[in-house]
Coordinates of all heavy atoms in Angstrom, one line a residue:
M1 N 147.4 222.8 28.4 CA 145.9 222.6 28.6 C 145.3 223.8 29.3 O 144.2 224.2 29.0 CB 145.8 221.3 29.4 CG 144.3 220.9 29.5 SD 143.8 220.3 27.9 CE 142.3 219.7 28.3
R2 N 146.1 224.2 30.4 CA 145.6 225.3 31.1 C 145.5 226.6 30.3 O 144.6 227.4 30.4 CB 146.5 225.5 32.3 CG 146.1 226.7 33.2 CD 146.9 226.7 34.5 NE 145.8 226.9 35.5 CZ 146.0 226.7 36.7 NH1 147.2 226.3 37.2 NH2 145.1 227.0 37.6
F3 N 146.5 226.8 29.4 CA 146.5 227.9 28.5 C 145.3 227.9 27.6 O 144.7 229.0 27.3 CB 147.8 227.9 27.6 CG 147.9 229.0 26.6 CD1 148.1 230.3 27.0 CD2 147.7 228.7 25.3 CE1 148.1 231.3 26.1 CE2 147.7 229.8 24.3 CZ 148.0 231.1 24.7
L4 N 144.9 226.8 27.1 CA 143.8 226.6 26.2 C 142.5 227.0 27.0 O 141.6 227.6 26.5 CB 143.7 225.2 25.7 CG 142.6 224.9 24.6 CD1 142.7 225.8 23.4 CD2 142.6 223.5 24.2
A5 N 142.4 226.5 28.3 CA 141.2 226.9 29.1 C 141.1 228.4 29.3 O 140.0 228.9 29.2 CB 141.3 226.1 30.4
V6 N 142.3 229.0 29.6 CA 142.3 230.5 29.8 C 141.9 231.2 28.5 O 141.1 232.1 28.5 CB 143.7 230.9 30.3 CG1 143.7 232.5 30.3 CG2 143.9 230.4 31.7
L7 N 142.4 230.7 27.4 CA 142.1 231.3 26.1 C 140.6 231.2 25.8 O 140.0 232.1 25.3 CB 143.0 230.6 25.0 CG 142.9 231.3 23.6 CD1 143.4 232.7 23.7 CD2 143.8 230.5 22.7
L8 N 140.1 230.0 26.0 CA 138.6 229.8 25.8 C 137.8 230.6 26.7 O 136.7 231.1 26.3 CB 138.3 228.3 25.9 CG 138.7 227.4 24.8 CD1 138.3 225.9 25.1 CD2 138.0 227.8 23.5
G9 N 138.2 230.8 27.9 CA 137.5 231.6 28.9 C 137.5 233.1 28.5 O 136.5 233.7 28.5
L10 N 138.7 233.6 28.0 CA 138.7 234.9 27.5 C 137.8 235.1 26.2 O 137.2 236.1 26.1 CB 140.2 235.3 27.2 CG 141.1 235.5 28.4 CD1 142.5 235.8 27.9 CD2 140.6 236.7 29.2
F11 N 137.9 234.1 25.4 CA 137.1 234.1 24.2 C 135.6 234.2 24.5 O 134.8 234.9 24.0 CB 137.4 232.9 23.3 CG 136.6 232.9 22.0 CD1 136.9 233.9 21.0 CD2 135.6 232.0 21.7 CE1 136.2 233.9 19.8 CE2 134.9 232.0 20.6 CZ 135.2 233.0 19.6
G12 N 135.2 233.3 25.5 CA 133.8 233.3 26.0 C 133.4 234.6 26.6 O 132.3 235.1 26.4
A13 N 134.3 235.2 27.4 CA 134.0 236.5 28.0 C 133.9 237.6 27.0 O 133.0 238.5 27.1 CB 135.1 236.9 29.0
G14 N 134.7 237.5 25.9 CA 134.6 238.5 24.8 C 133.3 238.3 24.1 O 132.7 239.4 23.7
L15 N 132.9 237.1 23.8 CA 131.6 236.9 23.2 C 130.4 237.4 24.0 O 129.5 238.0 23.5 CB 131.4 235.4 22.9 CG 132.2 234.9 21.7 CD1 131.9 233.4 21.5 CD2 131.8 235.6 20.4
A16 N 130.5 237.2 25.4 CA 129.5 237.7 26.3 C 129.4 239.2 26.2 O 128.4 239.8 26.2 CB 129.7 237.1 27.7
A17 N 130.6 239.8 26.2 CA 130.7 241.3 26.2 C 130.1 241.8 24.9 O 129.4 242.8 24.8 CB 132.1 241.8 26.4
L18 N 130.5 241.1 23.8 CA 129.9 241.5 22.5 C 128.4 241.4 22.4 O 127.7 242.2 21.9 CB 130.6 240.7 21.4 CG 130.2 241.0 19.9 CD1 130.5 242.4 19.5 CD2 130.7 239.9 19.0
N19 N 127.9 240.3 23.0 CA 126.5 240.0 23.0 C 125.8 241.1 23.8 O 124.7 241.6 23.4 CB 126.2 238.7 23.6 CG 124.7 238.3 23.5 OD1 124.0 238.7 22.6 ND2 124.2 237.6 24.5
L20 N 126.3 241.5 24.9 CA 125.8 242.6 25.8 C 125.8 243.9 25.0 O 124.8 244.6 25.1 CB 126.6 242.7 27.1 CG 126.1 243.7 28.1 CD1 124.7 243.3 28.6 CD2 127.0 243.8 29.3
W21 N 126.9 244.2 24.3 CA 127.0 245.4 23.6 C 125.9 245.5 22.4 O 125.2 246.5 22.2 CB 128.4 245.6 23.0 CG 128.5 246.9 22.2 CD1 128.7 248.1 22.6 CD2 128.5 246.9 20.8 NE1 128.7 249.0 21.6 CE2 128.6 248.3 20.4 CE3 128.4 246.0 19.7 CZ2 128.7 248.7 19.1 CZ3 128.4 246.4 18.4 CH2 128.5 247.8 18.1
V22 N 125.8 244.3 21.7 CA 124.8 244.3 20.6 C 123.4 244.5 21.2 O 122.6 245.2 20.6 CB 124.9 242.9 19.9 CG1 123.8 242.7 18.9 CG2 126.2 242.9 19.1
Q23 N 123.1 243.8 22.3 CA 121.7 244.0 22.8 C 121.5 245.4 23.3 O 120.4 246.0 23.1 CB 121.5 243.0 24.0 CG 121.3 241.6 23.6 CD 121.1 240.6 24.7 OE1 121.2 241.0 25.9 NE2 120.9 239.4 24.4
S24 N 122.4 246.1 23.9 CA 122.3 247.5 24.3 C 122.1 248.4 23.1 O 121.3 249.3 23.1 CB 123.4 247.9 25.2 OG 124.6 248.0 24.4
R25 N 122.8 248.1 22.0 CA 122.7 248.9 20.8 C 121.3 248.7 20.2 O 120.6 249.6 19.7 CB 123.7 248.5 19.8 CG 125.1 249.0 20.1 CD 125.3 250.4 20.2 NE 124.8 251.0 18.9 CZ 124.7 252.3 18.7 NH1 125.1 253.2 19.6 NH2 124.3 252.8 17.6
Q26 N 120.8 247.5 20.3 CA 119.5 247.1 19.8 C 118.4 247.9 20.5 O 117.5 248.5 19.9 CB 119.2 245.6 19.9 CG 118.9 244.9 18.7 CD 118.6 243.4 18.9 OE1 118.9 242.9 20.0 NE2 118.2 242.8 17.9
V27 N 118.5 248.0 21.8 CA 117.5 248.7 22.6 C 117.6 250.2 22.3 O 116.6 250.8 22.1 CB 117.8 248.4 24.1 CG1 116.9 249.4 25.0 CG2 117.4 247.0 24.5
S28 N 118.8 250.8 22.3 CA 118.9 252.2 22.0 C 118.5 252.5 20.6 O 117.8 253.6 20.3 CB 120.3 252.7 22.2 OG 121.2 252.1 21.3
D29 N 118.8 251.7 19.6 CA 118.3 251.9 18.3 C 116.8 251.8 18.2 O 116.1 252.5 17.4 CB 118.9 250.9 17.3 CG 120.4 251.2 17.0 OD1 120.9 252.3 17.4 OD2 121.1 250.3 16.5
S30 N 116.2 250.9 18.9 CA 114.7 250.7 19.0 C 114.1 252.0 19.5 O 113.1 252.5 18.9 CB 114.3 249.6 19.8 OG 114.8 248.4 19.3
Y31 N 114.7 252.6 20.5 CA 114.1 253.9 21.0 C 114.3 255.0 20.0 O 113.4 255.8 19.8 CB 114.8 254.3 22.3 CG 114.4 253.5 23.6 CD1 115.3 252.8 24.3 CD2 113.0 253.5 23.9 CE1 114.8 252.1 25.5 CE2 112.6 252.8 25.0 CZ 113.5 252.1 25.8 OH 113.1 251.4 26.9
R32 N 115.4 255.0 19.3 CA 115.6 256.0 18.3 C 114.6 255.9 17.1 O 114.1 256.9 16.6 CB 117.1 255.9 17.8 CG 117.4 256.9 16.7 CD 117.5 258.3 17.2 NE 117.9 259.2 16.2 CZ 117.4 260.4 16.0 NH1 116.5 260.9 16.8 NH2 117.8 261.1 15.0
I33 N 114.4 254.6 16.7 CA 113.4 254.4 15.7 C 112.0 254.9 16.1 O 111.3 255.5 15.3 CB 113.4 252.9 15.3 CG1 114.6 252.6 14.5 CG2 112.1 252.6 14.5 CD1 114.8 251.1 14.2
M34 N 111.6 254.6 17.3 CA 110.4 255.0 17.8 C 110.3 256.6 17.8 O 109.3 257.1 17.5 CB 110.1 254.5 19.3 CG 108.7 254.7 19.8 SD 108.3 253.8 21.3 CE 109.8 254.0 22.3
Q35 N 111.4 257.2 18.2 CA 111.4 258.7 18.3 C 111.3 259.2 16.8 O 110.5 260.2 16.6 CB 112.7 259.2 18.9 CG 112.9 260.7 18.9 CD 114.2 261.1 19.4 OE1 115.2 260.3 19.5 NE2 114.4 262.3 19.7
L36 N 112.0 258.6 15.9 CA 111.9 259.1 14.5 C 110.5 258.9 13.9 O 110.0 259.7 13.1 CB 112.9 258.3 13.6 CG 114.4 258.7 13.9 CD1 115.3 257.8 13.1 CD2 114.6 260.2 13.5
Q37 N 109.8 257.8 14.3 CA 108.5 257.5 13.8 C 107.5 258.6 14.4 O 106.7 259.1 13.6 CB 108.0 256.1 14.2 CG 108.6 255.0 13.4 CD 108.3 253.6 14.0 OE1 107.9 253.5 15.1 NE2 108.4 252.6 13.1
Q38 N 107.7 259.0 15.6 CA 106.9 260.0 16.2 C 107.1 261.4 15.5 O 106.2 262.1 15.2 CB 107.1 260.2 17.7 CG 106.6 259.0 18.5 CD 107.0 259.0 19.9 OE1 107.8 259.8 20.3 NE2 106.4 258.1 20.7
E39 N 108.4 261.7 15.2 CA 108.7 262.9 14.5 C 108.2 262.9 13.1 O 107.6 263.9 12.6 CB 110.3 263.1 14.5 CG 110.9 263.5 15.8 CD 112.4 263.6 15.7 OE1 112.9 263.8 14.5 OE2 113.1 263.6 16.7
Y40 N 108.2 261.8 12.4 CA 107.7 261.7 11.1 C 106.2 261.9 11.1 O 105.6 262.6 10.3 CB 108.0 260.3 10.5 CG 107.3 260.1 9.2 CD1 107.8 260.6 8.0 CD2 106.1 259.3 9.1 CE1 107.2 260.4 6.8 CE2 105.5 259.1 7.9 CZ 106.0 259.7 6.7 OH 105.4 259.5 5.5
A41 N 105.5 261.3 12.1 CA 104.0 261.5 12.2 C 103.7 263.0 12.5 O 102.8 263.5 11.9 CB 103.5 260.6 13.3
T42 N 104.5 263.7 13.3 CA 104.3 265.1 13.5 C 104.5 265.9 12.3 O 103.6 266.7 11.9 CB 105.2 265.6 14.6 OG1 105.0 264.8 15.8 CG2 105.0 267.0 14.9
W43 N 105.6 265.7 11.6 CA 105.8 266.4 10.3 C 104.8 266.1 9.3 O 104.5 267.0 8.5 CB 107.3 266.2 9.9 CG 108.3 266.9 10.7 CD1 109.2 266.4 11.5 CD2 108.4 268.4 10.8 NE1 109.9 267.4 12.2 CE2 109.5 268.6 11.7 CE3 107.8 269.4 10.2 CZ2 109.9 269.9 12.1 CZ3 108.2 270.7 10.6 CH2 109.2 270.9 11.5
F44 N 104.4 264.9 9.2 CA 103.4 264.5 8.2 C 102.1 265.2 8.5 O 101.4 265.7 7.5 CB 103.2 263.0 8.2 CG 102.3 262.5 7.2 CD1 102.7 262.3 5.9 CD2 100.9 262.2 7.4 CE1 101.9 261.9 4.9 CE2 100.1 261.8 6.4 CZ 100.6 261.6 5.1
E45 N 101.7 265.4 9.7 CA 100.5 266.1 10.1 C 100.6 267.6 9.8 O 99.7 268.2 9.2 CB 100.2 265.9 11.6 CG 98.9 266.6 12.1 CD 97.7 266.2 11.4 OE1 97.6 265.0 10.9 OE2 96.7 266.9 11.4
I46 N 101.8 268.2 10.0 CA 102.0 269.6 9.7 C 102.0 269.8 8.2 O 101.3 270.7 7.7 CB 103.4 270.0 10.3 CG1 103.3 270.1 11.8 CG2 103.8 271.4 9.7 CD1 104.7 270.3 12.4
K47 N 102.6 268.9 7.4 CA 102.5 268.9 6.0 C 101.1 268.9 5.5 O 100.7 269.6 4.6 CB 103.4 267.8 5.4 CG 103.4 267.8 3.9 CD 104.2 266.6 3.4 CE 104.2 266.4 1.9 NZ 102.9 265.9 1.3
R48 N 100.3 268.0 6.0 CA 98.9 267.8 5.6 C 98.1 269.1 5.9 O 97.4 269.6 5.0 CB 98.3 266.6 6.4 CG 96.9 266.3 5.9 CD 96.3 265.2 6.8 NE 96.0 265.7 8.1 CZ 94.9 266.4 8.4 NH1 94.0 266.7 7.5 NH2 94.7 266.8 9.7
R49 N 98.4 269.7 7.1 CA 97.6 270.9 7.4 C 98.1 272.1 6.5 O 97.2 272.9 6.1 CB 97.9 271.3 8.8 CG 97.2 270.4 9.8 CD 97.4 270.9 11.2 NE 96.8 270.0 12.2 CZ 96.8 270.1 13.5 NH1 97.4 271.2 14.0 NH2 96.2 269.3 14.3
V50 N 99.3 272.2 6.2 CA 99.8 273.2 5.3 C 99.2 273.0 3.9 O 98.8 274.0 3.2 CB 101.4 273.2 5.2 CG1 101.9 274.1 4.0 CG2 101.9 273.7 6.5
E51 N 99.2 271.8 3.4 CA 98.6 271.6 2.1 C 97.1 271.9 2.1 O 96.6 272.5 1.1 CB 98.8 270.1 1.6 CG 100.2 269.8 1.3 CD 100.5 268.3 1.0 OE1 99.6 267.5 1.3 OE2 101.5 268.0 0.4
L52 N 96.4 271.6 3.1 CA 95.0 272.0 3.2 C 94.8 273.5 3.2 O 93.9 274.0 2.5 CB 94.3 271.4 4.5 CG 94.0 269.9 4.4 CD1 93.6 269.4 5.8 CD2 93.0 269.6 3.4
E53 N 95.6 274.2 4.0 CA 95.5 275.6 4.0 C 95.9 276.3 2.7 O 95.3 277.2 2.2 CB 96.4 276.2 5.1 CG 96.4 277.7 5.3 CD 95.1 278.2 5.9 OE1 94.3 277.3 6.4 OE2 94.8 279.4 5.8
W54 N 96.9 275.7 2.0 CA 97.3 276.2 0.7 C 96.2 276.0 -0.3 O 95.9 276.9 -1.1 CB 98.6 275.5 0.3 CG 99.1 276.0 -1.0 CD1 99.1 275.4 -2.2 CD2 99.8 277.2 -1.2 NE1 99.7 276.2 -3.2 CE2 100.2 277.3 -2.6 CE3 100.2 278.3 -0.4 CZ2 100.8 278.4 -3.2 CZ3 100.9 279.4 -1.0 CH2 101.2 279.4 -2.3
G55 N 95.6 274.9 -0.2 CA 94.4 274.7 -1.1 C 93.3 275.6 -0.9 O 92.6 276.1 -1.8
R56 N 93.0 275.9 0.4 CA 92.0 276.8 0.8 C 92.3 278.2 0.3 O 91.4 279.0 -0.2 CB 91.8 276.9 2.3 CG 90.6 277.7 2.7 CD 90.5 277.8 4.3 NE 91.6 278.7 4.8 CZ 91.5 280.0 4.8 NH1 90.5 280.7 4.3 NH2 92.5 280.7 5.3
L57 N 93.6 278.6 0.4 CA 94.0 280.0 0.0 C 93.9 280.1 -1.5 O 93.7 281.2 -2.0 CB 95.4 280.3 0.5 CG 95.5 280.5 2.0 CD1 96.9 280.6 2.4 CD2 94.7 281.7 2.5
Q58 N 94.1 279.0 -2.2 CA 94.1 279.1 -3.7 C 92.7 278.8 -4.3 O 92.6 278.7 -5.5 CB 95.1 278.2 -4.3 CG 96.5 278.7 -4.1 CD 97.5 277.8 -4.8 OE1 97.3 276.6 -4.9 NE2 98.5 278.4 -5.3
A59 N 91.7 278.6 -3.5 CA 90.4 278.3 -4.0 C 89.9 279.4 -4.9 O 90.0 280.6 -4.6 CB 89.4 278.1 -2.9
P60 N 89.4 279.0 -6.1 CA 88.9 280.0 -7.1 C 87.9 281.0 -6.5 O 87.9 282.2 -6.8 CB 88.4 279.2 -8.2 CG 89.0 277.9 -8.1 CD 89.3 277.7 -6.7
D61 N 86.9 280.5 -5.8 CA 85.9 281.3 -5.2 C 86.4 282.3 -4.3 O 86.1 283.5 -4.3 CB 84.8 280.5 -4.5 CG 84.0 279.6 -5.4 OD1 84.1 279.8 -6.7 OD2 83.5 278.6 -4.9
R62 N 87.4 281.9 -3.4 CA 88.0 282.8 -2.5 C 88.8 283.9 -3.2 O 88.7 285.1 -2.9 CB 88.9 282.1 -1.5 CG 89.5 283.0 -0.5 CD 90.5 282.2 0.4 NE 91.1 283.1 1.3 CZ 92.1 283.9 1.1 NH1 92.6 284.0 -0.2 NH2 92.6 284.7 2.0
L63 N 89.5 283.5 -4.3 CA 90.4 284.4 -5.0 C 89.5 285.4 -5.8 O 89.8 286.6 -5.8 CB 91.3 283.7 -6.0 CG 92.4 282.9 -5.3 CD1 93.2 282.1 -6.4 CD2 93.3 283.7 -4.5
Q64 N 88.4 285.0 -6.3 CA 87.5 285.9 -7.0 C 86.8 286.9 -6.1 O 86.8 288.1 -6.4 CB 86.4 285.1 -7.7 CG 85.6 285.9 -8.7 CD 84.7 285.0 -9.6 OE1 84.4 283.9 -9.2 NE2 84.4 285.5 -10.8
T65 N 86.4 286.4 -4.9 CA 85.9 287.3 -3.9 C 86.9 288.4 -3.5 O 86.6 289.5 -3.3 CB 85.4 286.5 -2.7 OG1 84.4 285.6 -3.1 CG2 84.7 287.4 -1.6
L66 N 88.1 287.9 -3.2 CA 89.2 288.8 -2.8 C 89.5 289.8 -3.9 O 89.7 291.0 -3.7 CB 90.4 288.0 -2.5 CG 91.6 288.6 -1.8 CD1 91.1 289.1 -0.4 CD2 92.7 287.7 -1.7
A67 N 89.5 289.4 -5.2 CA 89.8 290.3 -6.3 C 88.7 291.4 -6.4 O 89.0 292.5 -6.6 CB 89.9 289.5 -7.6
H68 N 87.5 291.0 -6.3 CA 86.4 291.9 -6.5 C 86.3 292.8 -5.2 O 86.1 294.1 -5.4 CB 85.0 291.2 -6.7 CG 84.9 290.5 -8.0 ND1 85.1 291.2 -9.2 CD2 84.6 289.3 -8.3 CE1 84.9 290.4 -10.2 NE2 84.6 289.2 -9.7
G69 N 86.4 292.3 -4.1 CA 86.2 293.1 -2.8 C 87.3 293.9 -2.4 O 87.2 295.1 -2.3
R70 N 88.5 293.3 -2.3 CA 89.6 294.0 -1.7 C 90.4 294.8 -2.7 O 90.8 295.9 -2.5 CB 90.6 293.0 -1.0 CG 91.7 293.6 -0.3 CD 92.4 292.6 0.5 NE 93.5 293.2 1.3 CZ 94.4 292.5 2.0 NH1 94.3 291.3 2.1 NH2 95.3 293.2 2.6
F71 N 90.6 294.2 -3.9 CA 91.4 294.9 -4.9 C 90.6 295.6 -6.0 O 91.1 296.2 -6.9 CB 92.3 293.9 -5.6 CG 93.3 293.2 -4.6 CD1 93.2 291.9 -4.3 CD2 94.3 294.0 -4.0 CE1 94.0 291.3 -3.4 CE2 95.1 293.4 -3.1 CZ 95.0 292.1 -2.8
R72 N 89.2 295.5 -5.9 CA 88.3 296.1 -6.9 C 88.6 295.8 -8.3 O 88.7 296.7 -9.2 CB 88.3 297.6 -6.6 CG 87.9 298.0 -5.2 CD 87.5 299.4 -5.1 NE 87.3 299.8 -3.7 CZ 86.3 299.4 -2.9 NH1 85.4 298.6 -3.3 NH2 86.3 299.9 -1.6
L73 N 88.9 294.5 -8.6 CA 89.2 294.1 -9.9 C 87.9 293.6 -10.6 O 87.0 293.2 -9.9 CB 90.2 293.0 -9.9 CG 91.6 293.3 -9.4 CD1 92.4 292.0 -9.3 CD2 92.3 294.3 -10.2
R74 N 87.9 293.7 -11.9 CA 86.7 293.2 -12.6 C 87.2 292.2 -13.7 O 88.4 292.2 -14.0 CB 85.9 294.3 -13.3 CG 86.8 295.1 -14.3 CD 85.9 296.1 -15.0 NE 86.8 296.9 -15.9 CZ 87.3 296.5 -17.1 NH1 87.0 295.3 -17.5 NH2 88.0 297.3 -17.8
E75 N 86.3 291.4 -14.2 CA 86.7 290.5 -15.3 C 87.0 291.2 -16.5 O 86.4 292.2 -16.9 CB 85.5 289.5 -15.5 CG 85.4 288.5 -14.4 CD 84.5 287.3 -14.8 OE1 84.6 286.9 -16.0 OE2 83.8 286.9 -14.0
A76 N 88.0 290.7 -17.3 CA 88.4 291.3 -18.5 C 87.4 291.1 -19.6 O 86.8 290.0 -19.7 CB 89.7 290.8 -18.9
G77 N 87.1 292.1 -20.4 CA 86.2 291.9 -21.5 C 86.9 291.2 -22.6 O 88.1 290.9 -22.6
E78 N 86.1 290.8 -23.7 CA 86.7 290.0 -24.8 C 87.8 290.8 -25.5 O 88.8 290.2 -25.9 CB 85.6 289.7 -25.8 CG 84.7 288.6 -25.5 CD 85.5 287.3 -25.5 OE1 86.4 287.0 -26.3 OE2 85.2 286.5 -24.6
S79 N 87.7 292.1 -25.6 CA 88.7 292.9 -26.3 C 90.0 293.0 -25.5 O 91.0 293.4 -26.0 CB 88.2 294.2 -26.7 OG 87.8 295.0 -25.5
E80 N 89.9 292.8 -24.2 CA 91.0 293.0 -23.3 C 91.8 291.7 -23.0 O 92.8 291.7 -22.4 CB 90.5 293.5 -21.9 CG 89.8 294.9 -22.0 CD 89.2 295.3 -20.7 OE1 88.7 294.4 -20.0 OE2 89.2 296.5 -20.4
R81 N 91.3 290.6 -23.6 CA 92.0 289.3 -23.3 C 93.1 289.0 -24.4 O 92.9 289.3 -25.5 CB 91.0 288.2 -23.3 CG 90.0 288.3 -22.2 CD 89.0 287.2 -22.2 NE 88.0 287.4 -21.1 CZ 87.0 286.7 -21.0 NH1 86.7 285.6 -21.8 NH2 86.1 287.0 -20.1
W82 N 94.2 288.5 -23.9 CA 95.2 288.1 -24.8 C 95.4 286.6 -24.7 O 95.4 286.0 -23.6 CB 96.5 288.7 -24.4 CG 96.6 290.2 -24.6 CD1 95.6 291.1 -24.9 CD2 97.8 291.0 -24.6 NE1 96.0 292.3 -25.0 CE2 97.4 292.3 -24.8 CE3 99.1 290.7 -24.4 CZ2 98.3 293.4 -24.8 CZ3 100.0 291.8 -24.4 CH2 99.6 293.1 -24.6
F83 N 95.7 285.9 -25.8 CA 95.9 284.5 -25.7 C 97.3 284.2 -26.3 O 97.6 284.8 -27.4 CB 94.8 283.7 -26.5 CG 93.4 283.9 -25.9 CD1 92.5 284.8 -26.4 CD2 93.1 283.1 -24.9 CE1 91.3 285.0 -25.8 CE2 91.8 283.2 -24.3 CZ 90.9 284.2 -24.8
L84 N 98.0 283.4 -25.7 CA 99.3 283.0 -26.1 C 99.3 281.7 -26.8 O 98.6 280.7 -26.3 CB 100.3 282.9 -25.0 CG 100.5 284.3 -24.2 CD1 101.4 284.0 -23.0 CD2 101.1 285.3 -25.1
E85 N 100.0 281.6 -27.9 CA 100.0 280.3 -28.7 C 101.1 279.4 -28.1 O 102.2 279.9 -27.7 CB 100.3 280.5 -30.1 CG 99.2 281.3 -30.9 CD 99.6 281.5 -32.3 OE1 100.5 280.8 -32.8 OE2 98.9 282.3 -32.9
E86 N 100.8 278.1 -28.0 CA 101.7 277.2 -27.5 C 102.5 276.6 -28.7 O 102.0 276.4 -29.7 CB 101.1 276.0 -26.8 CG 100.5 276.4 -25.5 CD 99.9 275.2 -24.7 OE1 100.5 274.1 -24.9 OE2 99.0 275.4 -24.0
R87 N 103.8 276.5 -28.5 CA 104.6 276.0 -29.6 C 105.1 274.6 -29.3 O 105.4 274.2 -28.3 CB 105.8 276.9 -29.9 CG 105.3 278.2 -30.4 CD 106.5 279.1 -30.8 NE 105.9 280.4 -31.2 CZ 106.6 281.2 -32.0 NH1 107.8 280.8 -32.4 NH2 106.1 282.4 -32.3

């Protein structure tokens, strides 16, 4: 009988230790999830800004102004245009 009581006591202590470990993992994982969410929000904002800047840099009006002003390019005439056929 005494052996059974000791065994049940050890089993209960083991369960209590397991419960404590699970709760501590839950807390640390919650902090990690919060940190990852913050990092995701930061990278998402950076990605959004890069896409906006990329769109601004590729704007047709800006490219045309740059071509005429900086590179002194002109529009091609009808005889200078080539068209490729799609197959």
Side-chain angles (χ1 to χ4, degrees):
M1 189 71 171
R2 180 168 227 169
F3 176 73
L4 185 60
V6 170
L7 190 60
L8 284 176
L10 288 175
F11 183 71
L15 283 179
L18 180 64
N19 186 33
L20 183 64
W21 178 79
V22 167
Q23 286 181 356
S24 68
R25 290 297 305 176
Q26 237 179 353
V27 169
S28 66
D29 288 347
S30 296
Y31 283 123
R32 180 70 179 138
I33 287 172
M34 191 169 41
Q35 179 187 12
L36 289 173
Q37 286 174 338
Q38 290 172 349
E39 287 178 20
Y40 175 78
T42 301
W43 285 112
F44 186 79
E45 179 64 23
I46 290 171
K47 179 183 177 285
R48 188 186 67 82
R49 288 182 183 183
V50 167
E51 287 174 348
L52 285 173
E53 183 68 14
W54 184 252
R56 187 188 71 81
L57 291 174
Q58 287 187 325
D61 295 339
R62 183 184 178 281
L63 292 177
Q64 192 171 23
T65 303
L66 194 62
H68 290 305
R70 186 170 181 185
F71 299 111
R72 304 197 190 286
L73 297 175
R74 61 174 175 76
E75 286 194 39
E78 279 296 321
S79 62
E80 298 172 323
R81 295 182 187 171
W82 292 15
F83 297 96
L84 301 175
E85 294 179 15
E86 291 186 30
R87 294 183 185 206

